[in-house]
Amino acid sequence: MSTTVAVAPNKIKDILNLLGVHEVNSGVSTGAQWLKGEGVLLESLSPVDGALIGAVRGASKAEYEAMIATAQKGFIEWRTWPAPKRGEVVRQLGEELRKHKANLGKLVSYEMGKSYQEGLGEVQEMIDICDFAVGLSRQLHGLTMHSERPEHRMYEQWHPYGLVGIITAFNFPVAVWSWNTALAWVSGDVSLWKPSEKTPLCSIACQHITAEVFKRNGVPEGVSVIVNGGREVGEWMSNDTRIPLVSATGSTRMGKAVGAAVGERLGRSLLELGGNNAIIISDKADLDMSLIGCVFGAVGTAGQRCTSTRRLIIHDKVYEAFKQKLMKAYGQLRIGDPLDENNHVGPLIDEHAVQLYLKALEAAKQQGATIAVEGGVLSGEGYTSGCYVKPAIVEATAEMAIVQEETFAPILYLLRYTGDVHEAIAIQNNVKQGLSSAIMTLDLREAERFLGAAGSDCGIANVNIGTSGAEIGGAFGGEKETGGGRESGSDAWKAYMRRQTNTINYGAKLPLAQGIKFDL
């Protein structure tokens, strides 16, 4: 039976206390100490009820410089720790997160607006990546190669980069940081985290939890640094030659700016940007099973996931039947306080997001689309923040300009196709973004064609599940304007390390490669 988790605004301080956050002033920390915070003032307003949770001071440029210096010093020692010993620290962090899962999940839900269950799921992702990183700490392996020269041995090994800059977005205020930092830490890197200015308290809670684990293990100061602030902090990091890798999650516009700045100095960037994700509904699909993935993908986190389902490409033979199923399901959605587990949909992050939602619906109408399920802003009791909107369904065509864009809101576009799966794939691929994709079909040939070289051009391609809900075991990321980065599982760890090829001559002579003669 579903239960209700009541978190009244006056209880949020109790939750913060349980997470080790007894005082909120500064959002600038080296792990061992908190600086004053002499930069911009960040006010954390909950989209749940519009209440001010707290005000956090970001970093000044001088404090940023101090953070960099501390991180550099910490790296000098941290890189010498054996990787399994670093992994043990991360293992303990995972255990600590298990203890704090419920309270951190509530904080994520209240500060960001996603449902409590999704908040718990996000913390679980943090736990999972810690588990993954522990095993990885004993598997940072290279290759051995045969040399063409006698009595020579060749191999490759991997070394830490140094300082890894992490810029995260509001929609996953804790999980994306953990995806990056857990891998960076076991690789021997130190991390500088610039959280979203919309969710600063989540970052402060994570830093308190981490600092306690690090203190017990004697981890050097500066291995975990957080630098809250506005856009300027991200610009400092992107232009800073002391940060060899910047991992940035957010909009395509933001990612282009970060990529350009990092590329200008020949640094490395790992970009996780926009998604305009589609699910193909074949005429050979199980429509009842498909409905679950489509509805959750479209309305989960109020459509504010980078993997949210934006487009349904439905075969003409099942279009009307599936549309009716969707409309019936949307009629049963409960919108309200995300900490009440009886509700399906919480608020958008702020009023600016609401305006973008309304603007997109108006643009769809002007471009000739038909509104199948009306949207709108909810008001009255329970909706005082002004951030609650109705999930909308829009019947459109693939060529419409609004369909080509990503709107971070619960708007689902229905598109028809009449031919074979190749037509549907072409429609799906004909957008600038390339993050997540899916096909619903019971036909093996359709599924394999969708996954083949001429199929989906996205970084994630699923069969008979939705576009949302990636597991940490697989590499996460996408192509085209999604940025090309990969985080989390598989061999994504290689993004956080530098490759080195080594050749050892154990003989008494020094022959040259390619048979070159150089006699003295």
Side-chain angles (χ1 to χ4, degrees), residues 183-204:
L183 300 192
W185 284 339
V186 297
S187 299
D189 298 313
V190 302
S191 65
L192 295 92
W193 180 19
K194 191 274 180 199
S196 168
E197 52 266 44
K198 298 179 181 181
T199 53
L201 295 181
C202 286
S203 70
I204 292 171

Side-chain angles (χ1 to χ4, degrees), residues 473-488:
F476 180 90
E479 303 302 322
K480 301 189 291 188
E481 286 197 353
T482 301
R486 292 297 184 275
E487 296 172 331
S488 194

Side-chain angles (χ1 to χ4, degrees), residues 35-59:
L35 276 64
K36 184 177 180 181
E38 297 178 339
V40 65
L41 181 67
L42 305 175
E43 291 189 335
S44 177
L45 298 170
S46 173
V48 176
D49 52 19
L52 174 65
I53 310 174
V56 176
R57 278 285 179 191

